[in-house]
């Protein structure tokens, strides 16, 4: 993984000066270095109770692979060499670290016409954790698969439905995640989630004691820590990145990959995409929408000074004098993504935030008084929701006050199913992202007229 970190960092630092052939060679090198095909985790890893049916089985098209894991000619992801429907499964189990243990397990799978599409092994202090991507007869349930593996000597077996995306080998997947992280610092939490499956990722700021050295005993060491279902890594900007996956312990290989992504992020420093969209508002004024980060804190503070106390109160739900204290957190790519709307003179007049909140995603808007009711808030919100949909979020929520009619109107303008919860004057509006939203949320206001 250190080779991947070095290569992608070099690419990001030199931009397009690196020929495409170099990247192709790097990918080929990774594939050659992998002595076994490793399966990846594109989707969630919640433990199924029996057969969850999370993904429907695919239909056979041609002959599949054999129990040894070697593909026969004409193989298709959903096929079964004996005909009929089949289903893809991800499975992890622990076997004794003894000659023949894995062979017994593979023979038991072959007897039930279960194909091994890929296999990765993780030697541990006690036994070996084997990760499989399997193609099994469609009628086989998760409970039956786990019982079969247990009878063949497996222990602590975990299974979940998979799909064709899981056929991508691990080196290729890790390289793609590294490239995404290299281009955008906000991608690190998302890359970690896609690398490790369904988990909870938290960025914890450095405490005052840790910064002064008084809390050194509680500080995470430079190499990070791995404790069964929790891994902790030093964040590049200080503090700690904590990843929890209660239902499935992390392996040393997963820990090493996560650490390599964080090291890559630290080497490249602050960065965001530089694309800018020039939009025409309904009255004919042009504004520019772009990504923002902590380098925009001074401009954001200046916007705060131009906002009324009522506008700041509706946005921050607390003392207006504390509004500036939130900006470093809100504009940090570690906690989400921020869009800024600025005038032709470069003055920021609106901010929209997409914030990773554990397993949920929050959206928030602030528009300067003189620029309200021109469609800017709805424009930013539509783009934020589109970003959330691209990352696979199932919903986004906004926390505001019941009297904030502008925020409620912007949420309604998305054209998505909404849920409302009101408690003591606080309104939480949740928008569910249906398949249409996942393909690109609507932009309810403004017209795109070009790119700078």
């Amino acid at each position: 993984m250190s080779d991947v970190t070095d290569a992608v960092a070099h690419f990001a630092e030199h931009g397009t000066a690196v020929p495409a052939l170099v990247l192709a060679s790097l990918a080929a090198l990774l594939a050659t270095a992998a002595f076994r095909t490793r399966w990846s985790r594109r989707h969630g890893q919640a433990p199924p109770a029996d057969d969850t049916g999370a993904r429907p089985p695919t239909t056979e098209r041609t002959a599949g692979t054999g129990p040894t894991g070697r593909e026969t000619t004409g193989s298709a992801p959903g096929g079964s060499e004996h005909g009929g429907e089949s289903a893809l499964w991800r499975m992890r189990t622990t076997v004794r670290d003894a000659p023949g243990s894995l062979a017994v397990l593979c023979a038991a799978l072959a007897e039930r016409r279960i194909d091994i599409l890929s296999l990765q092994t993780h030697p541990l202090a006690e036994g070996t954790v084997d990760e499989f991507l399997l193609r099994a007869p469609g009628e086989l349930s998760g409970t039956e698969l786990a019982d079969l593996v247990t009878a063949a000597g497996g222990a602590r077996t975990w299974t979940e439905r998979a799909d064709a995306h899981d056929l991508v080998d691990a080196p290729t997947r890790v390289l793609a995640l590294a490239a995404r992280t290299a281009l955008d610092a906000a991608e690190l939490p998302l890359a970690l989630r896609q690398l490790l499956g369904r988990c909870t990722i938290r960025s914890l700021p450095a405490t005052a004691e840790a910064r002064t050295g008084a809390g050194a005993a509680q500080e995470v060491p430079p190499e990070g820590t791995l404790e069964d279902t929790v891994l902790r890594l030093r964040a590049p900007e200080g503090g700690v990145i904590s990843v929890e996956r209660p239902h499935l312990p992390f392996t040393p290989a997963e820990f090493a990959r996560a650490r390599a992504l964080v090291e890559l992020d630290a080497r490249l420093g602050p960065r965001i995409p530089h694309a800018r969209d020039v939009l025409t508002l309904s009255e004919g004024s042009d504004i520019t929408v772009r990504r923002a980060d902590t380098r925009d804190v001074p401009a954001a503070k200046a916007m705060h000074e131009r906002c009324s106390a009522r506008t700041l109160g509706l946005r921050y739900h607390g003392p207006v004098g504390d509004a500036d204290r939130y900006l470093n957190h809100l504009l940090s790519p570690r906690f989400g993504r921020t869009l800024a709307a600025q005038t032709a003179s470069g003055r920021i007049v609106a901010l929209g935030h997409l914030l990773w909140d554990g397993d949920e995603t929050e959206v928030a808007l602030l528009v300067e008084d003189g620029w309200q009711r021109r469609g800017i808030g709805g424009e930013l919100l539509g783009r934020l929701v589109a970003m959330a949909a691209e990352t696979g979020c199932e919903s986004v929520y906004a926390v505001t006050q019941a009297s904030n009619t502008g925020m409620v109107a912007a949420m309604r303008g998305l054209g998505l199913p909404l849920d409302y919860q009101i408690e003591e004057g606080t309104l939480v509006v949740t928008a569910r992202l249906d398949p249409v939203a996942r393909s690109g949320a609507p932009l309810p206001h403004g017209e795109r007229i070009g790119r700078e």
Side-chain angles (χ1 to χ4, degrees):
M1 278 299 301
S2 60
D3 293 337
V4 175
T5 301
D6 294 339
V8 177
H10 180 76
F11 164 67
E13 292 168 357
H14 292 77
T16 56
V18 179
L21 180 60
V22 174
L23 293 180
S25 300
L26 177 59
L29 178 61
L30 287 171
T32 304
F35 65 95
R36 290 182 180 173
T37 302
R38 303 173 180 176
W39 57 269
S40 62
R41 303 170 184 79
R42 180 180 176 90
H43 299 287
Q45 297 192 23
D50 293 342
D51 184 356
T52 62
R55 301 176 182 88
T58 54
T59 305
E60 178 197 17
R61 286 178 249 176
T62 57
T65 60
T68 62
R70 293 189 293 270
E71 286 194 8
T72 60
T73 58
S75 175
S80 172
E81 61 180 308
H82 295 277
E85 293 188 338
S86 63
L88 294 174
W89 290 90
R90 293 196 301 268
M91 182 184 75
R92 176 183 291 187
T93 191
T94 302
V95 299
R96 292 184 303 109
D97 191 7
S101 298
L102 181 58
V104 172
L105 175 57
C106 292
L109 294 174
E111 187 175 350
R112 291 293 300 271
R113 297 187 290 111
I114 300 173
D115 295 342
I116 300 174
L117 302 181
S118 68
L119 166 65
Q120 182 181 0
T121 62
H122 302 279
L124 303 178
E126 297 181 0
T128 299
V129 174
D130 290 328
E131 295 181 334
F132 295 85
L133 178 63
L134 304 172
R135 181 168 56 215
E139 66 274 9
L140 188 71
S141 69
T143 299
E144 292 172 327
L145 177 58
D147 290 344
L148 171 65
V149 172
T150 300
R156 298 184 292 278
T157 301
W158 167 88
T159 62
E160 186 177 67
R161 283 288 183 93
D163 63 20
H165 294 108
D166 295 290
L167 295 171
V168 179
D169 64 290
T172 300
R173 182 146 187 79
V174 171
L175 181 61
L177 294 176
R180 285 176 47 187
T181 303
L183 296 173
D184 186 352
E187 288 289 327
L188 179 61
L190 305 176
L192 289 173
R193 185 183 295 273
Q194 291 197 18
L195 177 68
L196 303 172
R198 183 173 298 174
C199 56
T200 300
I201 300 175
R202 295 184 175 90
S203 293
L204 309 176
T207 63
E209 293 79 5
R211 287 194 295 268
T212 59
Q218 289 76 33
E219 192 176 359
V220 175
E223 66 275 10
T225 61
L226 171 59
E227 301 173 358
D228 198 32
T229 60
V230 179
L231 62 85
R232 302 172 76 227
L233 299 163
R234 279 191 180 181
E237 71 283 356
V240 175
I241 297 175
S242 173
V243 186
E244 301 179 14
R245 192 175 66 189
H247 65 276
L248 190 64
F250 294 109
T251 65
E254 289 177 317
F255 176 61
R257 294 168 187 163
R259 185 172 61 190
L261 280 178
V262 174
E263 290 174 353
L264 171 66
D265 182 80
R267 287 188 58 179
L268 295 177
R271 63 208 178 279
I272 56 173
H274 298 297
R276 297 168 178 244
D277 286 342
V278 179
L279 308 173
T280 300
L281 302 179
S282 56
E283 80 279 6
S285 300
D286 288 349
I287 62 168
T288 298
V289 176
R290 62 173 177 84
R291 287 282 299 278
D293 63 10
T294 51
R295 290 169 290 188
D296 293 294
V297 167
K301 287 182 177 180
M303 185 184 72
H304 277 179
E305 294 175 358
R306 297 190 299 270
C307 290
S308 66
R310 181 179 184 276
T311 292
L312 293 177
L314 288 175
R315 166 62 185 89
Y316 294 110
H317 325 297
V320 175
D322 293 339
D324 288 354
R325 296 172 51 192
Y326 303 121
L327 289 175
N328 279 311
H329 175 89
L330 293 172
L331 291 170
S332 172
R334 187 65 61 243
F335 302 103
R337 298 175 181 173
T338 296
L339 291 177
Q342 67 181 37
T343 63
S345 64
R347 188 178 71 180
I348 291 180
V349 297
L351 290 172
H353 305 284
L354 184 69
L355 302 169
W356 318 131
D357 182 16
D359 294 330
E360 300 179 317
T361 305
E362 180 182 0
V363 290
L365 298 172
L366 176 64
V367 181
E368 188 178 321
D369 294 63
W371 290 82
Q372 293 176 7
R373 296 178 177 83
R374 301 191 188 187
I376 298 176
E379 178 73 35
L380 295 181
L381 182 61
R383 291 167 177 269
L384 294 172
V385 170
M387 289 181 180
E390 289 173 359
T391 63
C393 295
E394 296 180 356
S395 64
V396 297
Y397 72 92
V399 180
T400 186
Q401 298 179 25
S403 58
N404 192 347
T405 57
M407 187 65 186
V408 174
M411 293 292 286
R412 293 181 63 184
L414 294 171
L416 299 173
L418 300 179
D419 295 329
Y420 299 88
Q421 292 182 337
I422 302 178
E423 184 176 349
E424 298 180 355
T426 299
L427 173 64
V428 179
V429 185
T430 301
R432 298 193 303 275
L433 306 186
D434 56 20
V436 175
R438 292 175 186 275
S439 64
L443 303 180
H445 301 284
E447 178 183 2
R448 182 177 299 184
I449 61 174
R451 299 179 71 89
E452 293 184 348

